[in-house]
Amino acid sequence: MTDQAPPGTGPGMAGPGPDGAGFTYQGAEPELIVVARAEPRLRAGADGVRSASGADVSALEMFLSDQQLTLEPLFGNEDRIAAAAPPEPSAGTGTLPDLTLFYRVKGGENRAVELTARLSALPEIETAYLKPGAVPAAMPAHDPEEGQGRKEGAPATPDFTGRQGHLGAAPEGVNAVWAWQRQGGDGEGVTIIDVEGAWQLGHEDLSERLAGVVVGTPYQDLAWRNHGTAVLGVIGGDRNDKGVVGITPGAVTAAAAIQGIGSAAAIHAAAERLSRGDIVLIELHRPGPRFDYEHRDDQRGYIPLEWWPDDFAAIRWATAKGVVVVEAAGNGAESLDDALYERRPDRFPEWWRNPFNPSNQASGAIFVGAGAPPPGTHGRDHGPDRSRLGFSNYGTRLDAQGWGREVTTTGGFWDRPGDLQGGTEEIAWYTDSFSGTSSASPVVAGAVASLQGMLKAAGLEPMGPEQAREVLRNTGSPQQDAPGRPASQRIGNRPDIRAAVTHLVPTSVGSGQAERYWDELLPYPRELPPRLRLFVAGAWRNLNRPAPEVRQAVHSAFAGGRPDVRVWYSDDEVVGLVITG
């Protein structure tokens, strides 16, 4: 048994809900999942169940008819799924799960527990298990009355980007502003699909690159909608003169809703629509075995989705295809290294192994924990910067951390109007307090999308899932200790896009004569620093925040008609400058 994080008080320990009081999300339904045996090769359709191998399935047909139940292929038509399977993964990474064996049971909702045992006893079925409803991995924490609100007749939304500290330079931020100065660094050419429950797709700051809902039916619950809107704002908020800006405003964002199809089917459907290097973001967690899968307002014991076999299979399928999956590690205050997770649940299939144990076959997903923002952010102190927040799950399996408190983004405060800007217009709500592994995960997803955009713009292959995990683990700003929450309770490093680029594409220094210059006093986008741009060796190179005497010397050299400006550069950044004429 490894150490468990005890509940407590003080910076970094506050629980979920307004003032730590707890909260719930409406409409998250349990899922009854069946895993069939391989030999009968079941095929389920509108006309019932049959066997593609000619096996006798009359017992199963009779049971389904008597109980008024329907089996639905969880991932779609079995023959189509088999034909669309990605190539087998590389040696040493294990085989792919057979998605054709998973089914969802429709009907009998009030008898789900009883039905798991009865279905498992049928000869065609390996097992059946009940999944608790998935909910967003968010942690609202303080009183929305603190916000300035939005008054009737108020002027247009102001610029809130100065409150988005996660965009800035490392170690406090992920170096997104630096990345925007590089071709592709804004995520252009990358698509990110957010898997969860609902979104305000008409938000004023999500209009430029949002592709809408690609699968599923969104919930009508306001708390779900505020959550999804906040996630999209962190990744892809529009680059304009109001509100917030996303880490990758050039990326295409889309949404996959779990209502009606379940989490595993939504993950699979999202991945089907993506190409190698694109990203699926999973913003959900579930009650785990610590408290016997009980729904709790405090979210204690909640764990990542891939604990359940069908979710693991969907994620594994996606990463085998080359899609990067970013998964919230959950807000359960759990050590995922605990021996509790080595015990196979009674109804899980025999082949199941603990996915949190790195010695077992990995799903390939990036696990994200919640770290504290710099003390003083928005006037609050959650403990040392990059220390594990008390609610965040932790363990060997975690790959990276993002800001788990004080993230400024689009949307309201849990089930209420925005605490930064509220009012009657939901499309203009903003929050200053998006939190949990839900806020941390889009920070990491945005950093990965920025890297993918730069690689694509350079004509290089985007990272596959394994490489993306390796880069996040080997670069970035290190996790720090906090009282009672040492860095040995691993949540990983905070991404540093600049350091990761150096890791991926080691830079070489070139030199040449400047042919022309551009003194960019008012840079675009506005978040960039003032810069002097010099055209050298066929490309523009940037000198950020040039000293006044350097700026004047360059002006004078070119004004004289025979400039002699020697430039040393790395990629598009000026690292040396000599002016002799």
Side-chain angles (χ1 to χ4, degrees):
M1 180 76 73
T2 58
D3 58 328
Q4 274 307 118
T9 58
M13 293 305 298
D19 297 320
F23 63 101
T24 57
Y25 288 87
Q26 303 300 317
E29 64 272 11
E31 300 175 47
L32 179 52
I33 304 297
V34 161
V35 183
R37 298 190 186 280
E39 297 79 11
R41 294 177 57 202
L42 292 185
R43 298 294 183 264
D47 56 349
V49 178
R50 64 181 180 85
S51 166
S53 66
D56 180 6
V57 295
S58 57
L60 175 59
E61 289 181 297
M62 186 178 300
F63 178 82
L64 296 174
S65 177
D66 288 347
Q67 300 297 319
Q68 297 183 309
L69 305 175
T70 303
L71 284 190
E72 293 183 349
L74 186 60
F75 299 110
N77 178 271
E78 298 96 335
D79 294 320
R80 183 184 66 81
I81 290 299
E88 283 296 314
S90 58
T93 60
T95 58
L96 288 174
D98 186 349
L99 301 191
T100 68
L101 302 180
F102 291 91
Y103 294 85
R104 196 170 190 230
V105 179
K106 302 295 286 185
E109 288 79 5
N110 297 329
R111 299 174 289 126
V113 174
E114 167 205 342
L115 289 171
T116 58
R118 299 184 65 183
L119 283 162
S120 298
L122 294 167
E124 301 87 355
I125 304 301
E126 179 176 354
T127 192
Y129 55 89
L130 186 64
K131 295 165 56 178
V135 296
M139 304 283 288
H142 57 268
D143 189 349
E145 296 300 324
E146 294 175 5
Q148 64 183 12
R150 180 180 173 90
K151 305 292 191 269
E152 291 294 332
T157 299
D159 180 359
F160 296 131
T161 55
R163 304 182 69 84
Q164 293 183 275
H166 61 277
L167 299 175
E172 291 82 8
V174 299
N175 258 320
V177 175
W178 176 89
W180 298 338
Q181 300 171 66
R182 274 75 195 158
Q183 189 174 4
D186 65 354
E188 185 177 358
V190 181
T191 300
I192 308 167
I193 299 183
D194 176 33
V195 177
E196 52 175 298
W199 308 262
Q200 173 48 266
L201 300 176
H203 196 281
E204 65 175 9
D205 222 358
L206 298 174
S207 61
E208 293 181 6
R209 305 288 287 170
L210 181 59
V213 179
V214 297
V215 68
T217 303
Y219 292 109
Q220 295 304 307
D221 182 58
L222 179 59
W224 279 97
R225 194 159 63 245
N226 276 336
H227 183 276
T229 307
V231 169
L232 292 180
V234 174
I235 303 167
D238 294 342
R239 184 183 286 162
N240 50 37
D241 60 358
K242 65 173 181 285
V244 300
V245 63
I247 294 173
T248 47
V252 173
T253 55
I258 63 172
Q259 183 177 209
I261 61 173
S263 56
I267 293 165
H268 177 261
E272 276 199 309
R273 289 160 171 78
L274 297 175
S275 301
R276 176 180 169 81
D278 290 332
I279 299 167
V280 168
L281 172 60
I282 302 173
E283 281 286 315
L284 303 162
H285 62 175
R286 278 196 179 88
R290 174 71 59 193
F291 300 105
D292 197 25
Y293 304 98
E294 172 192 11
H295 275 282
R296 299 166 56 100
D297 285 356
D298 65 5
Q299 297 188 359
R300 290 275 295 174
Y302 280 41
I303 57 176
L305 291 198
E306 68 176 57
W307 170 259
W308 286 269
D310 56 315
D311 289 304
F312 179 91
I315 295 168
R316 185 82 185 92
W317 187 93
T319 57
K321 184 184 176 185
V323 172
V324 176
V325 177
V326 177
E327 183 177 3
N331 302 339
E334 286 284 298
S335 167
L336 299 183
D337 295 332
D338 197 291
L340 169 69
Y341 298 107
E342 292 298 327
R343 296 196 290 270
R344 180 176 61 85
D346 291 343
R347 296 294 176 191
F348 279 14
E350 292 286 343
W351 48 259
W352 178 89
R353 297 293 182 272
N354 173 17
F356 308 151
N357 183 341
S359 298
N360 296 328
Q361 182 186 35
S363 70
I366 294 166
F367 266 21
V368 180
T377 302
H378 304 161
R380 302 183 181 91
D381 183 358
H382 299 284
D385 185 31
R386 306 187 307 281
S387 61
R388 183 182 74 84
L389 290 166
F391 59 78
S392 179
N393 290 341
Y394 58 95
T396 311
R397 178 65 179 80
L398 270 75
D399 299 300
Q401 63 163 293
W403 278 32
R405 292 286 195 201
E406 308 301 335
V407 174
T408 300
T409 183
T410 48
F413 174 88
W414 181 40
D415 63 350
R416 309 171 194 179
D419 52 309
L420 182 59
Q421 177 165 281
T424 59
E425 303 171 61
E426 186 181 333
I427 61 169
W429 287 355
Y430 294 83
T431 179
D432 230 3
S433 52
F434 188 38
S435 41
T437 50
S438 274
S439 66
S441 297
V443 170
V444 173
V448 172
S450 176
L451 293 169
Q452 302 287 54
M454 282 188 274
L455 289 170
K456 288 188 172 187
L460 302 173
E461 280 292 311
M463 296 180 291
E466 291 181 26
Q467 187 181 16
R469 289 183 66 196
E470 183 267 335
V471 167
L472 291 171
R473 281 178 168 262
N474 289 291
T475 64
S477 305
Q479 180 181 347
Q480 298 201 96
D481 292 327
R485 303 188 306 282
S488 58
Q489 295 178 348
R490 178 184 171 85
I491 57 172
N493 300 337
R494 177 181 294 158
D496 177 349
I497 298 170
R498 184 172 186 171
V501 168
T502 303
H503 183 84
L504 286 167
V505 187
T507 56
S508 58
V509 176
S511 65
Q513 292 288 123
E515 301 173 34
R516 53 188 183 274
Y517 81 104
W518 174 18
D519 196 350
E520 194 175 52
L521 298 174
L522 295 174
Y524 180 83
R526 67 192 185 288
E527 296 85 2
L528 298 179
R531 52 188 181 169
L532 189 64
R533 309 196 72 193
L534 298 156
F535 194 80
V536 183
W540 287 101
R541 320 292 177 178
N542 304 314
L543 178 63
N544 293 332
R545 298 185 179 87
E549 56 269 24
V550 172
R551 175 180 282 125
Q552 183 58 49
V554 171
H555 277 296
S556 300
F558 277 90
R562 298 182 64 184
D564 185 5
V565 180
R566 187 77 179 177
V567 179
W568 283 261
Y569 57 87
S570 176
D571 187 21
D572 61 355
E573 184 173 359
V574 173
V575 296
L577 189 66
V578 174
I579 303 168
T580 57

